RNA sequence: GCCGGGUUGGUGGAAUGGUAGACACGGAGGCCUCAAAAGCCUUUGCCUGAAAGGGCGUGCGGGUUCGAGUCCCGCACCCGGCACCA
């Protein structure tokens, strides 16, 4: 980049605010702030408390937090620190308005990218991760972020993950007590079984008859962390399972683009479903963007409906019921067939309903061309299992399935209904079985058309299409209609509205024990284990019977062992019949261990769990550890937690006062963290049932991507604009708005902007670009606008040639005072509402006013202007503050307070409209009366001209700003 | 398909139902300078006009209102999320 504006020359002013001076100022004050510890927030007690708890009792607290970064090797671009700058501005503003502000930043450092990077470069993940953290800290330090460095940590620190493991054990050792509607220690459940207060559930022998392994198995059904065989995304090419979010829409791994298969593997899960209702309900009291709340609500997916049993006989002749979940129990009379998920238990094993031969007159289309039902079912199940999710989705339009050969009985109409299996019914939702009502569900409609199944209209269409589904193009699924054709067996729903019918039939089913009203959730339990090296080891060992035992707290942290090779073992990418080999399992000495768990069993041999936790684990509770980061006895001291996070007026569940981060974590991190928070709350470890009271999503900084004729991105910095077109090396290129990043060759780093203009300019520009929550394109050319603002600010206080302070001790004039107090008033409101873009506009207006006025700026105005700027551009503010003669930091200086007497202008502009069109403008006193104003307005020449002598029908006067005259 | 959010000058954006375009970038012109840079000043929604002025204007079509970028109804397009969830 050119540096013409900083070119040295004889005329250059030595005290001009340019990059070199900005760099000097910024480095100097950053060192000063560090040395003085100005950002250190006192705790009420403990090692981070000030003398006698000073600073905590005498002022309100504010906990301001960022979603912490993942230290990638690529370094930061200017988009990354947007949120960090915003929270920093708000934190600084809050300090100046008298708050004890907790603001710090840690690092989320476990996870696949670090491991992959380490594999590629051949270095240990810890080495590369720590180097990345160092680089990122250096980049961030340049921005002047006011973090309490004593509270920072990385999730890979054993002192930190000791407590991640501890929380896992808390969750493992808990169960959800429906009666108390909260999690309780598993010991309370064992007591209930032992005392006989609680009986073992159906299918289990009594507690007293169970052996140790049996009891462990039973408790596993209750624990909030439990192992189970679940289908997972297995990627042989990477040698590891992947989270859903690590698999592309094409069913391939995001890294390496390898195929991903479903495989059943024994995995750890978290029973987040136990909290579905509370996770849903507690959203109401949170100050979060509606869009995010909605995403969580949809993700949790609560639906009210009913479970209904359809009698069926197994092939062996036993009586069973196919239980379905439906939200449309009102259409039960219209259920003309049933569908089970291909994996449903009633189509395999001893309880199978699949008969030996097709019933007489079975429709040819139903059999799929197979000679027997079991052949057809087996073939379909195999085909469904081999399909990836993506294929299943792609085929969604085409309904496939096959008849099981079995019939069930519709419990209200008494009719025999054929039972199918089809992959449009998912095993993981509801009961994995549906009653199909083709006339009133478009999926059932499509299936019924394909398989020539009967349809019965039981809700009279309100759109005039008639009651014969034969002529319909699609199902009638509207709720705004009445029930028809629904009578029999002492029950009639005819004439009722959908809502009335739902209630009526639910009662009827309940009375007869056929069904019951129920609530179903879409939310699934959280798969919590990964076959990777770079994650928290599970504090679990297995005995010779394969029973899992928790490590005692005294054995934490269980540190990651060294292994010969921490990379996953990879396989033929296209071979699904492989299984992962966990890196930790390669260290036999670590895996096979003799321990005394202190449970009275004495020292014996155990095998360690060799899975690791997912990268979400560390970020599930970090807001708690910032509070009390060095506590070796507890994850957080209860008093300290209550001080910073406890419930209070308007925040019934407690939590962080402001949490800023990207919207991409809407249903992952933010849901997981809420879940852990509630478990810890239930178990009495914290007073806050929610981690984040107020959430704010910052927008993305976008950048133009330039592509040549082959579609390849070209370096954006070298593209020229000519005649409305874009050129790179003489070739015409196309421009599109996209993400910023190395691969698109359009990354701009904070380092280069800081080098060119200084950190204060960068901070100001990022805050001035637009509202914080909106995405917008980066424009390096426009940065200079904020640079000029700081230069004018500087010149309003300091002589560029001598470095002398130029302010005058003379009293400011009326105009200066009004400009000042209007700015103070506006900036204060904007800052409090995170509207930093308009706050900067108001600062600019004041500064421009002072520039334009000429002459020395009155000291009282200059000082308050500096204070207004301090949260946004802290370095230049600190420098000017000291040059103005102060010896203490601007960081804790009180924010200026507006004097209402000067906030209003001396005169206001009143517009005079005729029929809503502006015809004249008047300068009037704010106190003018309506009568005076009306008379004045009517006397205006342009107004009289516009009226042209017409009669006046009405005059609307809104003194002192507006008069609107409506002619007859 | 369903659910959210959006659409304002050449650009980023600003506007408790009451002056549309604050503030900034970019453009044009000027001052200063031997010259340039920087800085400062003026100007900059569109059309029309020498000017004064006039007309038009917040994605499109309606509506409510004395008055609509803002509220209501319908539509188009863009962005994001979910997606056979019974």
């Amino acid at each position: 980049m050119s540096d013409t504006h900083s070119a040295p020359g004889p005329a250059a002013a030595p005290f001009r605010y340019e990059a070199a001076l900005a760099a000097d100022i910024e480095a100097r004050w950053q060192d000063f702030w560090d040395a003085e510890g100005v950002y250190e927030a006192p705790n009420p007690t403990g090692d981070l408390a000030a003398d006698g708890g000073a600073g905590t009792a005498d002022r309100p607290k504010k906990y301001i937090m960022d979603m912490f970064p993942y230290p990638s090797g690529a370094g930061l671009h200017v988009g990354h620190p947007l949120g960090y700058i915003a929270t920093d501005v708000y934190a600084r503003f809050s300090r100046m308005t008298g708050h004890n502000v907790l603001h710090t930043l840690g690092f989320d450092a476990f996870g696949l990218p670090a491991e992959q990077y380490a594999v590629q470069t051949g270095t240990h993940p810890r080495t590369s991760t720590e180097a990345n953290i160092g680089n990122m800290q250096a980049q961030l330090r340049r921005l002047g972020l006011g973090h309490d460095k004593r509270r920072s940590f990385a999730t890979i620190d054993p002192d930190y993950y000791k407590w991640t493991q501890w929380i896992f054990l808390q969750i493992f050792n808990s169960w959800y007590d429906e009666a108390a509607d909260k999690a309780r220690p598993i010991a309370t459940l064992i007591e209930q079984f032992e005392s006989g207060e609680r009986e073992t559930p159906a299918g289990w022998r009594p507690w007293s008859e169970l052996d140790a392994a049996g009891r462990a198995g039973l408790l596993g059904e209750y624990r909030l962390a439990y192992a189970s065989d679940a289908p997972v995304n297995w990627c042989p090419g990477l040698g590891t399972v992947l989270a859903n979010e690590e698999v592309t829409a094409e069913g391939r791994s995001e890294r390496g683009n390898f195929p991903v298969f479903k495989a059943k593997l024994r995995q750890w899960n978290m029973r987040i479903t136990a909290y579905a209702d509370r996770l849903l309900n507690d959203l109401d009291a949170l100050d979060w963007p509606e869009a995010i709340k909605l995403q969580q609500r949809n993700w949790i997916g609560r639906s009210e409906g009913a479970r209904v049993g359809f009698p069926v006989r197994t092939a062996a002749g036993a009586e069973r019921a196919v239980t379905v979940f439906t939200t449309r129990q009102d259409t039960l009379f219209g259920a003309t067939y049933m569908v089970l998920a291909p994996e449903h238990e009633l189509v395999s094993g001893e309880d199978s309903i699949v008969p030996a031969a097709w019933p007489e007159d079975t429709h040819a289309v139903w059999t799929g061309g197979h000679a027997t039902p079991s052949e057809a079912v087996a073939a379909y199940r195999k085909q469904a299992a081999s399909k990836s999710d993506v294929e299943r989705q792609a085929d969604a339009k085409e309904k496939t399935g096959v008849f099981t050969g079995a019939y069930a009985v519709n419990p209200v109409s008494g009719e025999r209904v054929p039972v199918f299996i089809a992959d449009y019914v998912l095993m993981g939702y509801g009961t994995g079985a549906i009653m199909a009502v083709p006339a009133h569900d478009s999926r059932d409609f499509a299936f019924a058309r394909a398989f020539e199944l009967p349809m019965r209209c039981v809700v009279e269409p309100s759109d005039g299409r008639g009651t014969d589904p034969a002529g319909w193009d699609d199902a009638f699924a509207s709720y705004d209609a009445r029930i028809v054709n629904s009578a029999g067996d002492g029950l009639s729903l005819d004439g009722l509205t959908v809502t009335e019918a739902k209630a009526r039939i639910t009662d009827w089913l309940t009375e007869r024990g056929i069904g019951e009203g129920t609530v179903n959730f879409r939310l699934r339990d959280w798969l919590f284990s990964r076959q990777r090296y770079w994650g928290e080891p599970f504090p679990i060992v297995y005995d010779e019977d394969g029973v899992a035992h928790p490590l005692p707290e005294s054995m934490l942290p269980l540190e990651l062992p060294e292994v010969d090779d921490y990379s996953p073992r990879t396989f033929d990418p296209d071979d699904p019949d492989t299984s992962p080999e966990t890196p930790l399992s390669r260290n036999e000495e670590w895996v096979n261990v003799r321990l005394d768990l202190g449970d009275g069993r004495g020292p014996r041999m155990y095998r360690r769990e060799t899975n690791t936790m997912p990268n979400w684990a560390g970020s599930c509770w970090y807001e708690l550890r910032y509070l009390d980061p060095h506590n070796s006895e507890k994850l957080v001291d209860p008093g300290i937690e209550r001080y910073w996070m406890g419930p209070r007026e308007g925040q019934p569940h407690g939590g962080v006062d402001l949490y800023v981060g990207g919207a991409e974590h809407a249903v992952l991190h933010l849901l997981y963290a809420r879940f852990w928070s509630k478990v810890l709350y239930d178990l009495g470890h914290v007073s806050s049932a929610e981690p984040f009271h107020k959430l704010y999503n910052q927008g993305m900084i976008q950048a133009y991507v330039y592509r040549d004729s082959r579609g390849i991105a070209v370096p954006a910095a070298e593209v020229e604009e000519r005649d409305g077109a874009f050129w790179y090396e003489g070739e015409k290129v196309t421009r599109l708005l996209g993400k910023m990043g190395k691969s698109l060759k359009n990354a701009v780093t904070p380092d280069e902007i800081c080098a060119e203009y200084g950190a204060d300019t960068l901070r100001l520009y990022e805050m001035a670009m637009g509202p914080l929550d909106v995405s917008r394109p980066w424009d390096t050319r426009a940065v200079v606008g904020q640079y000029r603002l700081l230069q004018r600010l500087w010149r309003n206080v300091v002589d560029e040639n001598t470095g002398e302070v130029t302010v005058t001790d003379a009293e400011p004039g009326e105009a200066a005072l009004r400009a000042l107090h209007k700015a103070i008033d506006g900036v204060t409101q904007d800052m409090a509402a995170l509207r930093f873009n308009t706050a900067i506009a108001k600062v600019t207006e004041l500064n421009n006013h002072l520039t334009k006025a000429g002459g020395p700026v009155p000291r009282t105005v200059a000082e308050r202007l500096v204070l207004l700027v301090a949260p946004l551009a802290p370095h230049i503010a600190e420098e000017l503050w000291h040059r103005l003669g102060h010896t203490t930091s601007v960081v804790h200086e009180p924010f200026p307070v507006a004097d209402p007497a000067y906030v209003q202008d001396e005169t206001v502009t009143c517009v005079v409209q005729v029929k809503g069109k502006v015809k004249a403008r008047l300068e009037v006193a704010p106190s003018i009366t309506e009568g005076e104003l009306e008379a004045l307005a009517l006397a205006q020449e342009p107004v009289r001209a516009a009226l042209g002598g017409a009669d006046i029908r009405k005059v609307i006067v809104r003194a002192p700003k507006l008069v609107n005259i409506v002619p007859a």
Side-chain angles (χ1 to χ4, degrees), chain A residues 741-756:
Chain A
K742 271 199 172 156
S743 59
L744 297 172
K745 296 184 184 155
N746 60 359
V748 178
T749 66
D751 313 60
E752 55 193 283
I753 301 299
C754 286
E756 186 84 356

Side-chain angles (χ1 to χ4, degrees), chain A residues 907-962:
Chain A
T907 62
V908 297
T909 308
C910 173
V911 294
V912 184
Q913 301 175 332
V914 176
K915 271 170 59 180
K917 303 259 187 217
V918 179
K919 293 295 172 188
R921 291 186 168 83
L922 308 168
E923 287 302 313
V924 299
S927 56
I928 194 166
T929 66
E930 292 200 355
E932 284 169 343
L933 194 57
E934 179 174 343
L936 203 56
L938 287 167
Q940 297 301 306
E941 187 45 47
V943 173
R944 289 162 64 176
L947 287 170
D951 287 342
I952 291 164
R953 181 152 69 94
K954 198 175 190 181
V955 180
I956 289 111
V957 184
R958 294 280 178 275
K961 300 273 286 183
L962 177 125

Side-chain angles (χ1 to χ4, degrees), chain A residues 11-30:
Chain A
F15 294 97
R16 192 171 160 66
Y17 185 81
E18 287 180 339
L21 180 57
D24 170 62
I25 290 171
E26 288 165 6
R28 211 148 26 78
W29 291 115
Q30 283 167 10

Side-chain angles (χ1 to χ4, degrees), chain A residues 208-222:
Chain A
S208 56
E209 293 174 22
L210 288 170
D211 62 8
R215 288 177 176 180
L218 175 60
L219 293 177
E221 301 287 310
Y222 290 86

Side-chain angles (χ1 to χ4, degrees), chain A residues 863-884:
Chain A
E863 291 198 339
R864 279 180 275 185
L865 172 57
V866 165
L867 294 173
L868 287 184
V869 168
L872 295 155
H875 309 90
I876 191 174
E878 190 78 276
E879 175 74 14
L880 291 174
W881 188 246
H882 280 75
R883 280 179 183 263
L884 282 163

